[in-house]
Amino acid sequence: MPLRVVRLSVPLPDIEQRLAADVTTERKEELREAARQIAAGEGVGVEDVVLANDRPVGIVAQQVMTWLGWA
């Protein structure tokens, strides 16, 4: 089965803003982990395409589906 990988790219300040609405110890840990992964470049290079995830979910999903040839 062929596998196609889409990496959704989000700047760290946007991740911080998204997680700020639910400030818990777990969210703070997730933010630290996200910062570590971004700094380390984890996962970079395994994708077939990189899409900015800075728009509403429906728009990003449509872009993914179009890229896959499903729409």
Side-chain angles (χ1 to χ4, degrees):
M1 173 67 80
L3 175 67
R4 299 178 78 185
V5 178
V6 175
R7 179 166 58 94
L8 299 178
S9 176
V10 181
L12 188 56
D14 291 357
I15 295 171
E16 290 172 336
Q17 182 180 13
R18 291 176 186 187
L19 295 179
D22 184 21
V23 181
T24 64
T25 300
E26 184 177 353
R27 288 288 190 204
K28 290 177 185 177
E29 291 171 9
E30 290 170 347
L31 181 57
R32 280 192 296 273
E33 180 61 17
R36 186 195 67 73
Q37 289 178 3
I38 291 168
E42 288 188 13
V44 173
V46 301
E47 69 279 349
D48 297 305
V49 68
V50 178
L51 300 177
N53 192 14
D54 58 357
R55 291 153 289 151
V57 172
I59 292 171
V60 175
Q62 182 63 46
Q63 190 174 9
V64 171
M65 291 176 54
T66 299
W67 177 76
L68 289 168
W70 295 354

